[in-house]
Amino acid sequence: MRPPVRPGVLVAGILVAAAAVAQAPRPTPPAPPRREVPGGTVVVTPQTETLTRIGPAPGVELAPQPLGYESELHCFGYLGDPNEVFPVKIIGAESVAEQIDFTLSDRLYLNAGYDHGLKIGDEFWAITPEQLVVHPTTGKDLGRFYQYRGRVVIDNVEARTATATVSGACTDIPMGSFLKAFEPMPIPLARKSPLAKAGDPPSGKVRGRIISTRDGIVAVGADHTVLVDLGVADGVEPGDFLTIYRYAIGREYGIRPVGAYWVNVPPPAGVFIPRTYLGEIGVLAVGDRWAIGRVTDSYRLIEVGDEVELK
């Protein structure tokens, strides 16, 4: 039977072994290859190193990336029926004596309670009906735009009334705003493909137009959010990309006023002209015949009425 090893002796042995390894001479690297050429000259072949490429190899796609940010959807809105009905409405507030518009953490009073199925913890959009959206070239009414003002959470419920606290605010929430059940909207992931360029032929896929912009902005560029007249019925899905272009045919008859916008119109019959490439849109969310998109690339000024084509 071996005698037991005391802990102190074991630790000391480990330290001595480690010191011996540390003091051992490093191996001498091999000398570079040498060769002699006629005339007595000695040529030394230089050593080389292998470098690892950082990033994808040529032709390999990057991993999918988010096309936008939560605020670009949660603070935009949707195109709906011009006469959509909302049963729940903000009719009062705790601080109504001091203010008429409300924001984060304000407590609001509602015109519905248990009688409309409200429960503590329910979350809603705060919505205001806005302008009718008119198609920039056909003049057809496409529906009413409903703006998301923020979100509220029910914190107390009575038989025919309830209170809600503002949990998120994009802008002011006015008295009289309506509530609509909150539904999460995930940001789509997509791989960016090479951008279109001047002279590229049409893709041959579905085409539409920019019909409205966030906050009524007239001059649109990269990172702006827009509404287009393509949706699920046209085969468009979140994560798709749309090429933006126009036919520039002269300002004297190429644009006309539509509401607050000056929009670009198609060339007259019999007039043919190359496309002017403007940029690209990443689709964030879709409805039946509309979609919300973020301008991911802007080459020139973009306006309502400019055409889009699915890539």
Short mmCIF file of all heavy atoms in Angstrom, two decimals, residues 39-77:
data_model
loop_
_atom_site.label_atom_id
_atom_site.label_comp_id
_atom_site.label_asym_id
_atom_site.label_seq_id
_atom_site.Cartn_x
_atom_site.Cartn_y
_atom_site.Cartn_z
N GLY A 39 26.61 30.74 -60.75
CA GLY A 39 27.29 31.99 -60.42
C GLY A 39 27.59 32.11 -58.96
O GLY A 39 28.20 33.08 -58.51
N GLY A 40 27.11 31.16 -58.15
CA GLY A 40 27.43 31.17 -56.72
C GLY A 40 26.46 31.96 -55.88
O GLY A 40 26.66 32.12 -54.68
N THR A 41 25.38 32.50 -56.47
CA THR A 41 24.42 33.28 -55.69
C THR A 41 23.49 32.34 -54.93
O THR A 41 22.97 31.37 -55.48
CB THR A 41 23.58 34.18 -56.61
OG1 THR A 41 24.46 35.01 -57.36
CG2 THR A 41 22.62 35.04 -55.82
N VAL A 42 23.31 32.66 -53.63
CA VAL A 42 22.41 31.87 -52.78
C VAL A 42 21.06 32.57 -52.70
O VAL A 42 20.99 33.75 -52.34
CB VAL A 42 23.00 31.67 -51.37
CG1 VAL A 42 22.00 30.92 -50.49
CG2 VAL A 42 24.32 30.92 -51.46
N VAL A 43 20.00 31.87 -53.03
CA VAL A 43 18.65 32.43 -52.98
C VAL A 43 17.92 31.86 -51.77
O VAL A 43 17.88 30.64 -51.59
CB VAL A 43 17.86 32.10 -54.27
CG1 VAL A 43 16.44 32.65 -54.17
CG2 VAL A 43 18.58 32.67 -55.48
N VAL A 44 17.39 32.73 -50.93
CA VAL A 44 16.62 32.32 -49.75
C VAL A 44 15.13 32.50 -50.07
O VAL A 44 14.69 33.61 -50.39
CB VAL A 44 17.00 33.15 -48.51
CG1 VAL A 44 16.14 32.72 -47.31
CG2 VAL A 44 18.47 33.00 -48.21
N THR A 45 14.36 31.44 -50.00
CA THR A 45 12.92 31.51 -50.26
C THR A 45 12.20 32.07 -49.04
O THR A 45 12.35 31.53 -47.94
CB THR A 45 12.35 30.11 -50.57
OG1 THR A 45 13.09 29.57 -51.68
CG2 THR A 45 10.87 30.19 -50.92
N PRO A 46 11.49 33.19 -49.16
CA PRO A 46 10.83 33.79 -47.99
C PRO A 46 9.73 32.90 -47.45
O PRO A 46 9.09 32.16 -48.19
CB PRO A 46 10.26 35.11 -48.54
CG PRO A 46 10.08 34.86 -50.00
CD PRO A 46 11.21 33.94 -50.39
N GLN A 47 9.55 32.97 -46.11
CA GLN A 47 8.46 32.22 -45.48
C GLN A 47 7.13 32.93 -45.71
O GLN A 47 7.07 34.17 -45.80
CB GLN A 47 8.70 32.07 -43.98
CG GLN A 47 9.90 31.18 -43.65
CD GLN A 47 10.09 31.07 -42.16
OE1 GLN A 47 10.14 32.07 -41.46
NE2 GLN A 47 10.20 29.85 -41.67
N THR A 48 6.08 32.18 -45.81
CA THR A 48 4.75 32.76 -46.04
C THR A 48 3.81 32.33 -44.93
O THR A 48 4.05 31.34 -44.24
CB THR A 48 4.18 32.30 -47.39
OG1 THR A 48 4.09 30.87 -47.40
CG2 THR A 48 5.07 32.75 -48.55
N GLU A 49 2.74 33.13 -44.77
CA GLU A 49 1.72 32.82 -43.78
C GLU A 49 0.37 32.72 -44.48
O GLU A 49 0.13 33.39 -45.50
CB GLU A 49 1.65 33.90 -42.70
CG GLU A 49 2.91 34.00 -41.86
CD GLU A 49 2.76 35.06 -40.79
OE1 GLU A 49 1.69 35.69 -40.73
OE2 GLU A 49 3.71 35.25 -40.02
N THR A 50 -0.50 31.90 -43.93
CA THR A 50 -1.86 31.78 -44.45
C THR A 50 -2.77 32.70 -43.67
O THR A 50 -2.84 32.62 -42.44
CB THR A 50 -2.37 30.33 -44.33
OG1 THR A 50 -1.48 29.47 -45.06
CG2 THR A 50 -3.78 30.21 -44.89
N LEU A 51 -3.46 33.61 -44.35
CA LEU A 51 -4.37 34.55 -43.71
C LEU A 51 -5.80 34.04 -43.85
O LEU A 51 -6.20 33.56 -44.92
CB LEU A 51 -4.26 35.94 -44.35
CG LEU A 51 -2.87 36.59 -44.26
CD1 LEU A 51 -2.90 37.95 -44.94
CD2 LEU A 51 -2.46 36.75 -42.80
N THR A 52 -6.57 34.18 -42.78
CA THR A 52 -7.97 33.77 -42.80
C THR A 52 -8.85 34.93 -43.21
O THR A 52 -8.74 36.03 -42.64
CB THR A 52 -8.40 33.28 -41.39
OG1 THR A 52 -7.54 32.20 -41.01
CG2 THR A 52 -9.86 32.81 -41.42
N ARG A 53 -9.71 34.74 -44.22
CA ARG A 53 -10.59 35.80 -44.68
C ARG A 53 -11.63 36.12 -43.61
O ARG A 53 -12.24 35.24 -43.04
CB ARG A 53 -11.31 35.37 -45.96
CG ARG A 53 -12.30 36.42 -46.48
CD ARG A 53 -13.09 35.86 -47.64
NE ARG A 53 -12.22 35.59 -48.77
CZ ARG A 53 -11.89 36.49 -49.68
NH1 ARG A 53 -12.35 37.72 -49.58
NH2 ARG A 53 -11.10 36.17 -50.69
N ILE A 54 -11.82 37.42 -43.35
CA ILE A 54 -12.86 37.86 -42.43
C ILE A 54 -14.05 38.30 -43.26
O ILE A 54 -13.95 39.22 -44.05
CB ILE A 54 -12.37 39.01 -41.53
CG1 ILE A 54 -11.17 38.55 -40.70
CG2 ILE A 54 -13.49 39.52 -40.64
CD1 ILE A 54 -10.56 39.63 -39.87
N GLY A 55 -15.21 37.65 -43.07
CA GLY A 55 -16.38 37.96 -43.86
C GLY A 55 -16.63 36.87 -44.88
O GLY A 55 -15.86 35.93 -45.02
N PRO A 56 -17.73 36.99 -45.62
CA PRO A 56 -18.10 35.93 -46.55
C PRO A 56 -17.20 35.90 -47.77
O PRO A 56 -16.66 36.92 -48.19
CB PRO A 56 -19.54 36.31 -46.93
CG PRO A 56 -19.58 37.79 -46.76
CD PRO A 56 -18.68 38.10 -45.60
N ALA A 57 -17.02 34.73 -48.30
CA ALA A 57 -16.26 34.61 -49.54
C ALA A 57 -17.08 35.17 -50.69
O ALA A 57 -18.30 35.32 -50.59
CB ALA A 57 -15.94 33.13 -49.78
N PRO A 58 -16.43 35.53 -51.79
CA PRO A 58 -17.18 36.06 -52.93
C PRO A 58 -18.27 35.10 -53.38
O PRO A 58 -18.06 33.89 -53.49
CB PRO A 58 -16.10 36.22 -54.01
CG PRO A 58 -14.81 36.34 -53.25
CD PRO A 58 -14.97 35.50 -52.03
N GLY A 59 -19.46 35.66 -53.61
CA GLY A 59 -20.57 34.84 -54.06
C GLY A 59 -21.38 34.22 -52.95
O GLY A 59 -22.42 33.62 -53.20
N VAL A 60 -20.94 34.37 -51.68
CA VAL A 60 -21.68 33.81 -50.54
C VAL A 60 -22.54 34.90 -49.93
O VAL A 60 -22.04 35.98 -49.62
CB VAL A 60 -20.71 33.23 -49.49
CG1 VAL A 60 -21.49 32.73 -48.29
CG2 VAL A 60 -19.88 32.11 -50.10
N GLU A 61 -23.84 34.65 -49.74
CA GLU A 61 -24.75 35.65 -49.20
C GLU A 61 -24.55 35.84 -47.71
O GLU A 61 -24.22 34.90 -46.99
CB GLU A 61 -26.19 35.24 -49.47
CG GLU A 61 -26.57 35.26 -50.94
CD GLU A 61 -28.03 34.91 -51.14
OE1 GLU A 61 -28.53 34.05 -50.40
OE2 GLU A 61 -28.66 35.49 -52.03
N LEU A 62 -24.75 37.06 -47.24
CA LEU A 62 -24.72 37.34 -45.82
C LEU A 62 -25.94 36.73 -45.14
O LEU A 62 -26.93 36.39 -45.77
CB LEU A 62 -24.70 38.86 -45.59
CG LEU A 62 -23.46 39.61 -46.06
CD1 LEU A 62 -23.71 41.10 -45.98
CD2 LEU A 62 -22.25 39.23 -45.22
N ALA A 63 -25.88 36.60 -43.82
CA ALA A 63 -27.03 36.11 -43.07
C ALA A 63 -28.18 37.12 -43.18
O ALA A 63 -27.95 38.32 -43.36
CB ALA A 63 -26.64 35.91 -41.60
N PRO A 64 -29.43 36.68 -43.09
CA PRO A 64 -30.56 37.62 -43.16
C PRO A 64 -30.46 38.68 -42.07
O PRO A 64 -30.07 38.40 -40.94
CB PRO A 64 -31.78 36.70 -42.93
CG PRO A 64 -31.32 35.34 -43.33
CD PRO A 64 -29.86 35.28 -42.97
N GLN A 65 -30.84 39.91 -42.43
CA GLN A 65 -30.79 41.03 -41.51
C GLN A 65 -32.18 41.66 -41.37
O GLN A 65 -32.98 41.58 -42.30
CB GLN A 65 -29.80 42.10 -42.02
CG GLN A 65 -28.38 41.61 -42.21
CD GLN A 65 -27.71 41.25 -40.89
OE1 GLN A 65 -27.92 41.93 -39.88
NE2 GLN A 65 -26.93 40.18 -40.90
N PRO A 66 -32.49 42.28 -40.22
CA PRO A 66 -33.79 42.97 -40.09
C PRO A 66 -33.90 44.09 -41.12
O PRO A 66 -32.95 44.83 -41.36
CB PRO A 66 -33.75 43.52 -38.65
CG PRO A 66 -32.71 42.72 -37.95
CD PRO A 66 -31.70 42.34 -38.98
N LEU A 67 -35.09 44.23 -41.70
CA LEU A 67 -35.29 45.25 -42.73
C LEU A 67 -35.60 46.62 -42.15
O LEU A 67 -35.58 47.61 -42.88
CB LEU A 67 -36.44 44.84 -43.65
CG LEU A 67 -36.10 43.89 -44.79
CD1 LEU A 67 -37.31 43.68 -45.68
CD2 LEU A 67 -34.94 44.41 -45.60
N GLY A 68 -35.91 46.69 -40.86
CA GLY A 68 -36.26 47.98 -40.29
C GLY A 68 -36.26 47.92 -38.78
O GLY A 68 -35.60 47.07 -38.17
N TYR A 69 -37.03 48.81 -38.19
CA TYR A 69 -37.10 48.93 -36.74
C TYR A 69 -38.55 48.87 -36.29
O TYR A 69 -39.48 49.19 -37.06
CB TYR A 69 -36.46 50.25 -36.28
CG TYR A 69 -35.04 50.40 -36.74
CD1 TYR A 69 -34.74 51.07 -37.93
CD2 TYR A 69 -33.99 49.86 -36.00
CE1 TYR A 69 -33.43 51.21 -38.36
CE2 TYR A 69 -32.67 50.00 -36.42
CZ TYR A 69 -32.40 50.67 -37.60
OH TYR A 69 -31.11 50.79 -38.04
N GLU A 70 -38.75 48.48 -35.04
CA GLU A 70 -40.11 48.34 -34.51
C GLU A 70 -40.90 49.63 -34.65
O GLU A 70 -42.08 49.63 -34.99
CB GLU A 70 -40.04 47.90 -33.05
CG GLU A 70 -41.39 47.61 -32.43
CD GLU A 70 -41.30 47.17 -30.99
OE1 GLU A 70 -41.26 48.05 -30.11
OE2 GLU A 70 -41.23 45.96 -30.74
N SER A 71 -40.26 50.77 -34.40
CA SER A 71 -40.96 52.05 -34.45
C SER A 71 -41.52 52.35 -35.83
O SER A 71 -42.50 53.09 -35.97
CB SER A 71 -40.03 53.18 -34.01
OG SER A 71 -38.91 53.27 -34.87
N GLU A 72 -40.89 51.81 -36.89
CA GLU A 72 -41.35 52.09 -38.25
C GLU A 72 -42.68 51.41 -38.55
O GLU A 72 -43.40 51.83 -39.46
CB GLU A 72 -40.29 51.65 -39.26
CG GLU A 72 -39.05 52.53 -39.19
CD GLU A 72 -37.92 52.02 -40.05
OE1 GLU A 72 -37.71 50.79 -40.09
OE2 GLU A 72 -37.24 52.85 -40.67
N LEU A 73 -43.02 50.38 -37.80
CA LEU A 73 -44.33 49.74 -37.93
C LEU A 73 -45.29 50.21 -36.85
O LEU A 73 -46.44 50.53 -37.11
CB LEU A 73 -44.19 48.22 -37.88
CG LEU A 73 -43.67 47.53 -39.14
CD1 LEU A 73 -43.56 46.03 -38.90
CD2 LEU A 73 -44.58 47.80 -40.31
N HIS A 74 -44.81 50.24 -35.61
CA HIS A 74 -45.67 50.55 -34.48
C HIS A 74 -46.05 52.03 -34.42
O HIS A 74 -46.94 52.40 -33.65
CB HIS A 74 -45.00 50.13 -33.17
CG HIS A 74 -44.94 48.65 -32.99
ND1 HIS A 74 -44.65 48.04 -31.80
CD2 HIS A 74 -45.15 47.63 -33.86
CE1 HIS A 74 -44.68 46.73 -31.93
NE2 HIS A 74 -44.97 46.46 -33.18
N CYS A 75 -45.39 52.86 -35.19
CA CYS A 75 -45.72 54.29 -35.22
C CYS A 75 -46.17 54.73 -36.60
O CYS A 75 -46.09 55.91 -36.94
CB CYS A 75 -44.52 55.12 -34.75
SG CYS A 75 -44.09 54.89 -33.01
N PHE A 76 -46.60 53.78 -37.42
CA PHE A 76 -47.08 54.13 -38.76
C PHE A 76 -48.60 54.04 -38.79
O PHE A 76 -49.27 54.96 -38.39
CB PHE A 76 -46.42 53.20 -39.80
CG PHE A 76 -46.61 53.68 -41.22
CD1 PHE A 76 -45.92 54.78 -41.68
CD2 PHE A 76 -47.46 53.02 -42.09
CE1 PHE A 76 -46.08 55.23 -42.99
CE2 PHE A 76 -47.64 53.45 -43.39
CZ PHE A 76 -46.94 54.56 -43.84
N GLY A 77 -49.15 52.94 -39.25
CA GLY A 77 -50.59 52.80 -39.32
C GLY A 77 -50.98 51.79 -40.38
O GLY A 77 -50.18 50.93 -40.75
#
